[in-house]
Amino acid sequence: MAATIFIDGEHGTTGLQIRDRLAARSDIALLSLAEADRRDMDKRTALLREADIAILCLPDDAAREAVRLADGAGTRFIDASTAHRTDPDWVYGFAEAEPGQATRIAEAQFVSNPGCYSTGAIGLLRPLVLAGILPVDYPVTINAVSGYSGGGKQMIRQMEDQAADDRIAAPFFAYALPLRHKHVPEIMERSGLTARPVFTPSVGRFAQGMLVNVPLLSAHMNDHAPMERVHEALENHYSGQTIVEVVELDQSAATVRIDATEMAGTDRMKLYVCGTPGDGQMNLIASLDNLGKGASGAAVQNLDLMIGA
Ligand SMILES: NC(=O)C1=CN([C@@H]2O[C@H](COP(=O)(O)OP(=O)(O)OC[C@H]3O[C@@H](n4cnc5c(N)ncnc54)[C@H](OP(=O)(O)O)[C@@H]3O)[C@@H](O)[C@H]2O)C=CC1
Ligand SMILES: CC(=O)N[C@@H](CCC(=O)OP(=O)(O)O)C(=O)O
């Protein structure tokens, strides 16, 4: 029998992309609300309670409310918001990050989808912590650039409608300057770090795509791990799956520039280890689509695990 799915927030940026990915599937029956009814509490409640699985593509407060509205109905949830990503009662929906995580997702009632920047950062950092290469108190810095769709409907309008009062004219801008971005707690907890990373995100004038940079110094890593060992740890961690690709060292060395939009339109992530052998410095770079593996693609991956597709 087809699994019954309701995407709460289906008319938003993340929700629409999930709907597109599910539209043609015969193993899924989509419950849907007209756009004009998207904030109708009674209609949302009915579908949240009827669905086998509800996918929440809402602001944080609305996501918490949706879980309350379905209380007692047995609905399973995938929450794309930040609301539950460090909640111990929710399973973190990053199947490749942890041994056994795919099974935990498959069996869960409550699954929290990772943040887009967090997917890149944790994808690079968690394997190194698990391999014992990265000390958990390493003073990590993370610099990233995202496509503007990462800011949802509001930022898309601000970037695309240059007649709007609140338009953004900049071709590229840094933000989260007080260093309190909402992904930091999630990155710390899900990577297993004890020291708070310094995280500076930025946005470029392109819709989809993202690069997340984590520079590391061998001198401050366990056993002074060189870039070859870091690469090997990533390769070992991601062997046997198809979604996260660890780029070969010689291929990274031959790469002159990495286009932040290279993964746009895909649900996969590429990881690069860049630097010059022997220099003791490396820059780890995750390349993904903020709306693919960074949001909607990951939500569908988690859904597939939960329904055994
Ligand atoms: N965009 C991205 O790259 C990523 C987004 N996310 C997360 O996914 C969630 C959705 O983001 P995104 O799709 O970008 O946001 P959008 O603003 O594009 O879409 C949000 C949708 O939710 C609706 N909505 C807002 N409040 C309520 C409410 N109280 N009840 C019912 N519907 C409501 C909005 O309607 P209305 O038009 O009326 O406001 C809109 O349709 C957020 O938590 C975001 O942080 C996660 C990873 C990446
Ligand atoms: C460019 C941009 O504004 N990006 C968003 C994060 C997008 C994302 O991952 O969203 P959630 O953590 O909300 O799920 C931001 O920095 O708030």
Side-chain angles (χ1 to χ4, degrees), residues 15 19 62 80 123 142-143 177 194 207 247 265 273 309:
R19 211 170 67 171
I142 305 166
N143 303 291
L177 303 175
T194 58
V247 177
V273 178

Side-chain angles (χ1 to χ4, degrees), residues 13-308:
T13 312
T14 310
L16 273 173
Q17 290 238 349
I18 295 173
R19 211 170 67 171
D20 285 351
R21 283 166 172 75
L22 299 182
R25 287 184 47 172
S26 56
D27 59 338
I28 281 170
L30 274 181
L31 302 174
S32 186
L33 280 181
E35 187 164 7
D37 292 333
R38 67 188 181 282
R39 286 174 178 258
D40 184 315
M41 184 92 88
D42 292 338
K43 289 182 178 164
R44 285 176 57 224
T45 303
L47 297 192
L48 284 165
R49 299 183 73 85
E50 183 185 338
D52 295 322
I53 300 180
I55 307 179
L56 308 180
C57 300
L58 302 164
D60 292 5
D61 286 346
R64 288 190 194 93
E65 175 195 65
V67 177
R68 281 195 300 274
L69 294 175
D71 191 31
T75 309
R76 301 171 81 195
F77 282 94
I78 299 170
D79 181 8
S81 85
T82 316
H84 300 104
R85 293 185 189 147
T86 56
D87 185 327
D89 293 334
W90 286 63
V91 171
Y92 196 58
F94 191 161
E96 301 83 5
E98 208 76 46
Q101 197 66 8
T103 306
R104 284 189 279 277
I105 294 166
E107 294 169 352
Q109 180 174 6
F110 299 110
V111 173
S112 187
N113 225 45
C116 48
Y117 295 116
S118 315
T119 301
I122 296 163
L124 292 166
L125 292 163
R126 182 60 181 158
L128 306 185
V129 170
L130 286 174
I133 292 176
L134 189 71
V136 293
D137 58 353
Y138 189 102
V140 169
T141 57
I142 305 166
N143 303 291
V145 61
S146 171
Y148 58 77
S149 63
K153 283 165 77 171
Q154 186 184 3
M155 191 176 288
I156 293 170
R157 184 184 48 71
Q158 288 176 295
M159 291 294 269
E160 291 184 353
D161 180 3
Q162 288 299 298
D165 288 343
D166 60 350
R167 70 182 171 279
I168 298 171
F172 180 98
F173 61 90
Y175 69 107
L177 303 175
L179 305 180
R180 293 284 186 91
H181 190 275
K182 62 182 178 175
H183 290 180
V184 171
E186 171 189 356
I187 292 171
M188 260 183 90
E189 177 159 334
R190 302 299 178 177
S191 300
L193 299 175
T194 58
R196 197 167 87 179
V198 176
F199 173 41
T200 310
S202 58
V203 168
R205 190 167 286 286
F206 54 91
Q208 285 174 237
M210 164 171 286
L211 296 177
V212 181
N213 296 269
V214 180
L216 294 174
L217 298 174
S218 297
H220 299 282
M221 295 169 71
N222 294 330
D223 303 331
H224 291 187
M227 60 188 285
E228 294 83 352
R229 179 126 177 256
V230 167
H231 183 265
E232 185 186 27
L234 291 174
E235 266 197 338
N236 289 343
H237 183 93
Y238 291 109
S239 71
Q241 54 75 52
T242 54
I243 291 178
V244 184
E245 176 194 350
V246 181
V247 177
E248 292 299 335
L249 276 178
D250 57 354
Q251 208 182 318
S252 296
T255 300
V256 177
R257 53 184 75 88
I258 301 172
D259 180 342
T261 68
E262 68 168 349
M263 299 304 281
T266 82
D267 291 342
R268 292 178 293 108
M269 176 161 70
K270 269 188 182 178
L271 304 181
Y272 297 84
V273 178
C274 302
T276 301
D279 279 1
Q281 299 184 323
M282 65 203 92
N283 187 22
L284 311 187
I285 304 178
S287 178
L288 64 154
D289 183 344
N290 56 294
L291 287 177
K293 182 60 174 164
S296 309
V300 172
Q301 186 187 355
N302 288 325
L303 175 66
D304 285 342
L305 287 166
M306 291 168 78
I307 64 175

